[in-house]
Amino acid sequence: PVIPPADLAARLPAGFRLGAATASYQIEGAVDEGGRGPSIWDTFSHTPGKIMGGDTGDVACDHYHRWEGDVALVADLGLDAYRLSVAWPRIVPTGSGAVNQEGLDFYRRVLSGLRERDVDTVVTLYHWDLPQPLEDAGGWPVRETAERFAEYAGVLARELGDLVGTWTTLNEPWVSAFLGYASGVHAPGRTEPAAALAAAHHLNLGHGLAARAIRAELGDDASVMVTLNHHAIRPADPSSAADVDAARRLDAVGNRIFTGPMLRGAYPQDLFEDTAHVTDWSFVRDGDEALAHVPVSALGINYYTPTIVRGLAEGEEPSSSGGHGEGSATPWVGATGVDFVEPEGERTRMGWLVEPSALSGMLRRLRDDFPGLPLIITENGAAYEDEMSTDEDGGRAVHDLDRTSYYSGHVSAVADAIDDGVDVRAYFAWSLLDNFEWAFGYDRRFGVVHVDFETQERTPKDSALWLRDLARAHRDRR
Ligand code: PNW
């Protein structure tokens, strides 16, 4: 069931923007070129056993060399906006000190190309490629990393500020902190629960310091936000006090650990209580929570699937890991006695349940919790098993009805939230291109454009054509 683009376009307000997103390590390749230094993802992907199939981002989509064609692709699809990330190790190869002009030049070319084609930009400062020397000095669990991040943010604002529409400081700090330092399924692969909480704190601090550094360069009206993978958490049985409390505990370590300091200027008290057996939080200095709190122009939300929980009885063993890698350590530091419920239903190739209404529900709840804060869907999408077919005229095509229907359902869910008065300003599909899907390597395809990783040929899938028609129909209306 796919909604005709014209019908859906009519439900999106004038000024609403439709786009697609990518991230540097997932698409660029050219890891030893242009003066780039090593990142934690180079180290991690080259460590045997960490990535499915032994894949690395060494070549990825070769976007570093093919950026011009990729920018043209975005424009040809008629997208209003494109979200990309800057590789910190291309700008500051050793993590501190010397700035690499070649890196700045690369992003200046890309951003200029987008501007010439009238494509609005959202630039992510940190999509997980931490310069390796900063990890060697302790990584996000140490305070200095937040300070180095702010210096890098100031450099980007000064050098590229004239070309960037909106800045988003961090992509999914929950993933950086808890998959990187607690479950260890992401770089740098550490399994230290207390360090993961310290990482979360220094990511909060880094966000605040970086946003201040950007505004110090560009003025207070510079558009700055942050992107969270805010978890759409709900109790399996809303009438069960145990399930409701499990949902509260997960919301503390999954969501409010970031929205508290960043949007309210304080950690929630129940988070300190729930994690007291893991850390005493002595890494939080007086004034840090206020530093993390800056006015943001919008909140970026990455949404893929809901999280449904129940409370475990005393001594009861959990039945599932909540989709975070069977056998690996839990990323849910401090959330003891929580079990993840996996209801029957349609799932993507990641095993993630497809439930668009959970997105509208989360957007309404964010509106209630943070009235007046504009929201942007910075990522939403799905991996499916794609099949390339050759049409009668020899043209190649990917008829990804499953992905197209995922997009149709979720854009429609955004429209439902807008009907209910939620201020959602934009929607970015994840991803523009099939790319390096982190621990899954090239085995999971999230692109609306197919990439042949042998030839680097790009082929827009039917989902890309549907998004193109949606953007076109929406533009024709205004
Ligand atoms: C997000 N999880 O990653 C990222 O922002 C993208 O880079 C990524 O390709 C996309 O979603 C698809 O996975 C996530 O385990 C990775 O909860 C893992 C999780 C969530 C988001």
Tab-separated table of all heavy atoms in Angstrom, residues 88-118:
chain	number	residue	atom	x	y	z
A	88	TRP	N	35.629	14.611	10.864
A	88	TRP	CA	36.534	15.359	11.750
A	88	TRP	C	38.002	15.099	11.380
A	88	TRP	O	38.790	16.038	11.250
A	88	TRP	CB	36.179	14.974	13.189
A	88	TRP	CG	36.838	15.695	14.305
A	88	TRP	CD1	37.879	16.590	14.267
A	88	TRP	CD2	36.472	15.569	15.692
A	88	TRP	NE1	38.183	17.020	15.531
A	88	TRP	CE2	37.349	16.410	16.422
A	88	TRP	CE3	35.510	14.822	16.385
A	88	TRP	CZ2	37.272	16.521	17.815
A	88	TRP	CZ3	35.437	14.933	17.766
A	88	TRP	CH2	36.317	15.777	18.471
A	89	PRO	N	38.415	13.819	11.135
A	89	PRO	CA	39.836	13.577	10.810
A	89	PRO	C	40.276	14.115	9.441
A	89	PRO	O	41.466	14.074	9.136
A	89	PRO	CB	39.985	12.054	10.876
A	89	PRO	CG	38.611	11.512	10.785
A	89	PRO	CD	37.674	12.552	11.317
A	90	ARG	N	39.334	14.590	8.611
A	90	ARG	CA	39.776	15.302	7.399
A	90	ARG	C	40.097	16.758	7.734
A	90	ARG	O	40.851	17.410	7.010
A	90	ARG	CB	38.677	15.306	6.309
A	90	ARG	CG	38.517	13.991	5.610
A	90	ARG	CD	37.762	14.147	4.285
A	90	ARG	NE	37.403	12.819	3.798
A	90	ARG	CZ	38.255	11.984	3.185
A	90	ARG	NH1	39.489	12.359	2.937
A	90	ARG	NH2	37.841	10.787	2.815
A	91	ILE	N	39.494	17.278	8.788
A	91	ILE	CA	39.654	18.704	9.117
A	91	ILE	C	40.785	18.900	10.127
A	91	ILE	O	41.612	19.787	9.997
A	91	ILE	CB	38.321	19.280	9.679
A	91	ILE	CG1	37.156	18.974	8.722
A	91	ILE	CG2	38.447	20.780	9.946
A	91	ILE	CD1	37.303	19.527	7.319
A	92	VAL	N	40.775	18.050	11.167
A	92	VAL	CA	41.831	18.101	12.188
A	92	VAL	C	42.395	16.680	12.301
A	92	VAL	O	41.949	15.892	13.137
A	92	VAL	CB	41.280	18.576	13.553
A	92	VAL	CG1	42.436	18.904	14.502
A	92	VAL	CG2	40.360	19.783	13.399
A	93	PRO	N	43.360	16.336	11.429
A	93	PRO	CA	43.783	14.928	11.286
A	93	PRO	C	44.281	14.275	12.576
A	93	PRO	O	44.113	13.064	12.735
A	93	PRO	CB	44.909	15.006	10.246
A	93	PRO	CG	44.599	16.242	9.454
A	93	PRO	CD	43.988	17.212	10.414
A	94	THR	N	44.844	15.038	13.481
A	94	THR	CA	45.316	14.422	14.722
A	94	THR	C	44.380	14.722	15.888
A	94	THR	O	44.689	14.405	17.033
A	94	THR	CB	46.740	14.901	15.076
A	94	THR	OG1	46.712	16.333	15.196
A	94	THR	CG2	47.742	14.496	14.011
A	95	GLY	N	43.244	15.357	15.605
A	95	GLY	CA	42.255	15.589	16.652
A	95	GLY	C	42.417	16.906	17.383
A	95	GLY	O	41.476	17.387	18.006
A	96	SER	N	43.620	17.475	17.322
A	96	SER	CA	43.817	18.785	17.937
A	96	SER	C	44.941	19.486	17.185
A	96	SER	O	45.788	18.831	16.567
A	96	SER	CB	44.174	18.661	19.411
A	96	SER	OG	45.378	17.937	19.550
A	97	GLY	N	44.912	20.784	17.207
A	97	GLY	CA	45.990	21.529	16.549
A	97	GLY	C	45.751	21.717	15.069
A	97	GLY	O	44.652	22.117	14.663
A	98	ALA	N	46.770	21.360	14.253
A	98	ALA	CA	46.795	21.741	12.840
A	98	ALA	C	45.525	21.391	12.071
A	98	ALA	O	44.996	20.277	12.161
A	98	ALA	CB	48.003	21.091	12.169
A	99	VAL	N	45.066	22.379	11.297
A	99	VAL	CA	43.890	22.215	10.451
A	99	VAL	C	44.349	21.868	9.038
A	99	VAL	O	45.320	22.417	8.542
A	99	VAL	CB	43.059	23.524	10.453
A	99	VAL	CG1	41.951	23.482	9.421
A	99	VAL	CG2	42.488	23.780	11.854
A	100	ASN	N	43.633	20.929	8.400
A	100	ASN	CA	44.005	20.426	7.078
A	100	ASN	C	43.197	21.126	5.987
A	100	ASN	O	42.021	20.836	5.795
A	100	ASN	CB	43.761	18.910	7.060
A	100	ASN	CG	43.996	18.296	5.696
A	100	ASN	OD1	44.913	18.691	4.980
A	100	ASN	ND2	43.147	17.332	5.344
A	101	GLN	N	43.826	22.034	5.285
A	101	GLN	CA	43.129	22.845	4.272
A	101	GLN	C	42.479	21.974	3.187
A	101	GLN	O	41.381	22.264	2.731
A	101	GLN	CB	44.115	23.837	3.644
A	101	GLN	CG	43.464	24.831	2.685
A	101	GLN	CD	42.410	25.715	3.369
A	101	GLN	OE1	42.614	26.185	4.488
A	101	GLN	NE2	41.251	25.889	2.719
A	102	GLU	N	43.136	20.871	2.810
A	102	GLU	CA	42.568	19.991	1.772
A	102	GLU	C	41.204	19.436	2.172
A	102	GLU	O	40.329	19.229	1.333
A	102	GLU	CB	43.525	18.812	1.530
A	102	GLU	CG	44.382	18.943	0.296
A	102	GLU	CD	45.106	17.646	0.007
A	102	GLU	OE1	46.116	17.367	0.684
A	102	GLU	OE2	44.639	16.880	-0.859
A	103	GLY	N	41.057	19.166	3.440
A	103	GLY	CA	39.773	18.669	3.936
A	103	GLY	C	38.702	19.747	3.823
A	103	GLY	O	37.585	19.490	3.368
A	104	LEU	N	39.052	20.955	4.243
A	104	LEU	CA	38.098	22.064	4.122
A	104	LEU	C	37.719	22.291	2.665
A	104	LEU	O	36.543	22.506	2.347
A	104	LEU	CB	38.711	23.342	4.706
A	104	LEU	CG	38.871	23.363	6.232
A	104	LEU	CD1	39.741	24.544	6.668
A	104	LEU	CD2	37.502	23.416	6.921
A	105	ASP	N	38.717	22.203	1.775
A	105	ASP	CA	38.456	22.425	0.346
A	105	ASP	C	37.463	21.405	-0.195
A	105	ASP	O	36.599	21.743	-1.002
A	105	ASP	CB	39.764	22.334	-0.467
A	105	ASP	CG	40.727	23.470	-0.157
A	105	ASP	OD1	40.286	24.476	0.460
A	105	ASP	OD2	41.921	23.362	-0.505
A	106	PHE	N	37.600	20.145	0.246
A	106	PHE	CA	36.671	19.106	-0.234
A	106	PHE	C	35.224	19.466	0.122
A	106	PHE	O	34.337	19.460	-0.744
A	106	PHE	CB	37.039	17.733	0.349
A	106	PHE	CG	35.990	16.684	0.095
A	106	PHE	CD1	35.735	16.235	-1.202
A	106	PHE	CD2	35.223	16.166	1.136
A	106	PHE	CE1	34.743	15.286	-1.454
A	106	PHE	CE2	34.238	15.216	0.894
A	106	PHE	CZ	33.998	14.773	-0.402
A	107	TYR	N	34.981	19.795	1.387
A	107	TYR	CA	33.604	20.097	1.779
A	107	TYR	C	33.117	21.418	1.169
A	107	TYR	O	31.927	21.571	0.889
A	107	TYR	CB	33.460	20.081	3.302
A	107	TYR	CG	33.669	18.676	3.834
A	107	TYR	CD1	34.834	18.332	4.510
A	107	TYR	CD2	32.731	17.677	3.586
A	107	TYR	CE1	35.050	17.033	4.962
A	107	TYR	CE2	32.931	16.371	4.027
A	107	TYR	CZ	34.094	16.064	4.715
A	107	TYR	OH	34.295	14.773	5.141
A	108	ARG	N	34.031	22.350	0.932
A	108	ARG	CA	33.644	23.600	0.269
A	108	ARG	C	33.138	23.313	-1.149
A	108	ARG	O	32.141	23.875	-1.590
A	108	ARG	CB	34.825	24.585	0.263
A	108	ARG	CG	34.565	25.892	-0.481
A	108	ARG	CD	35.465	27.021	-0.028
A	108	ARG	NE	35.055	27.557	1.268
A	108	ARG	CZ	34.033	28.402	1.445
A	108	ARG	NH1	33.325	28.838	0.416
A	108	ARG	NH2	33.699	28.808	2.649
A	109	ARG	N	33.815	22.390	-1.839
A	109	ARG	CA	33.359	22.023	-3.183
A	109	ARG	C	31.975	21.366	-3.132
A	109	ARG	O	31.091	21.700	-3.917
A	109	ARG	CB	34.347	21.046	-3.845
A	109	ARG	CG	35.674	21.676	-4.273
A	109	ARG	CD	36.465	20.736	-5.207
A	109	ARG	NE	36.971	19.537	-4.544
A	109	ARG	CZ	38.137	19.474	-3.885
A	109	ARG	NH1	38.919	20.542	-3.813
A	109	ARG	NH2	38.518	18.349	-3.308
A	110	VAL	N	31.802	20.429	-2.217
A	110	VAL	CA	30.515	19.729	-2.116
A	110	VAL	C	29.395	20.720	-1.775
A	110	VAL	O	28.341	20.748	-2.425
A	110	VAL	CB	30.589	18.618	-1.037
A	110	VAL	CG1	29.207	18.016	-0.792
A	110	VAL	CG2	31.584	17.536	-1.451
A	111	LEU	N	29.635	21.547	-0.757
A	111	LEU	CA	28.594	22.481	-0.306
A	111	LEU	C	28.291	23.531	-1.374
A	111	LEU	O	27.135	23.939	-1.538
A	111	LEU	CB	29.022	23.142	1.009
A	111	LEU	CG	29.050	22.197	2.233
A	111	LEU	CD1	29.812	22.833	3.398
A	111	LEU	CD2	27.631	21.813	2.656
A	112	SER	N	29.313	23.959	-2.105
A	112	SER	CA	29.083	24.929	-3.189
A	112	SER	C	28.249	24.293	-4.291
A	112	SER	O	27.348	24.927	-4.844
A	112	SER	CB	30.406	25.419	-3.793
A	112	SER	OG	31.224	25.972	-2.799
A	113	GLY	N	28.554	23.032	-4.602
A	113	GLY	CA	27.785	22.320	-5.627
A	113	GLY	C	26.315	22.229	-5.249
A	113	GLY	O	25.423	22.402	-6.092
A	114	LEU	N	26.050	21.986	-3.981
A	114	LEU	CA	24.668	21.883	-3.516
A	114	LEU	C	23.990	23.251	-3.591
A	114	LEU	O	22.845	23.372	-4.027
A	114	LEU	CB	24.631	21.326	-2.092
A	114	LEU	CG	25.051	19.851	-1.995
A	114	LEU	CD1	25.477	19.491	-0.573
A	114	LEU	CD2	23.899	18.933	-2.448
A	115	ARG	N	24.712	24.282	-3.175
A	115	ARG	CA	24.135	25.631	-3.215
A	115	ARG	C	23.811	26.040	-4.644
A	115	ARG	O	22.734	26.584	-4.913
A	115	ARG	CB	25.104	26.628	-2.582
A	115	ARG	CG	24.688	28.051	-2.881
A	115	ARG	CD	24.935	29.033	-1.794
A	115	ARG	NE	24.447	28.616	-0.485
A	115	ARG	CZ	24.721	29.277	0.623
A	115	ARG	NH1	25.482	30.342	0.586
A	115	ARG	NH2	24.240	28.880	1.781
A	116	GLU	N	24.727	25.759	-5.586
A	116	GLU	CA	24.485	26.116	-6.994
A	116	GLU	C	23.217	25.461	-7.513
A	116	GLU	O	22.542	26.001	-8.377
A	116	GLU	CB	25.655	25.659	-7.878
A	116	GLU	CG	26.850	26.592	-7.839
A	116	GLU	CD	28.134	25.881	-8.292
A	116	GLU	OE1	28.039	24.880	-9.039
A	116	GLU	OE2	29.224	26.329	-7.855
A	117	ARG	N	22.915	24.283	-6.975
A	117	ARG	CA	21.722	23.570	-7.436
A	117	ARG	C	20.535	23.820	-6.530
A	117	ARG	O	19.528	23.127	-6.614
A	117	ARG	CB	22.011	22.080	-7.537
A	117	ARG	CG	22.975	21.748	-8.677
A	117	ARG	CD	23.456	20.316	-8.542
A	117	ARG	NE	24.273	19.888	-9.662
A	117	ARG	CZ	25.593	20.140	-9.768
A	117	ARG	NH1	26.217	20.841	-8.826
A	117	ARG	NH2	26.261	19.711	-10.804
A	118	ASP	N	20.687	24.806	-5.622
A	118	ASP	CA	19.549	25.216	-4.793
A	118	ASP	C	19.098	24.153	-3.804
A	118	ASP	O	17.920	24.077	-3.460
A	118	ASP	CB	18.355	25.554	-5.702
A	118	ASP	CG	17.999	27.015	-5.557
A	118	ASP	OD1	18.655	27.693	-4.749
A	118	ASP	OD2	17.057	27.442	-6.240
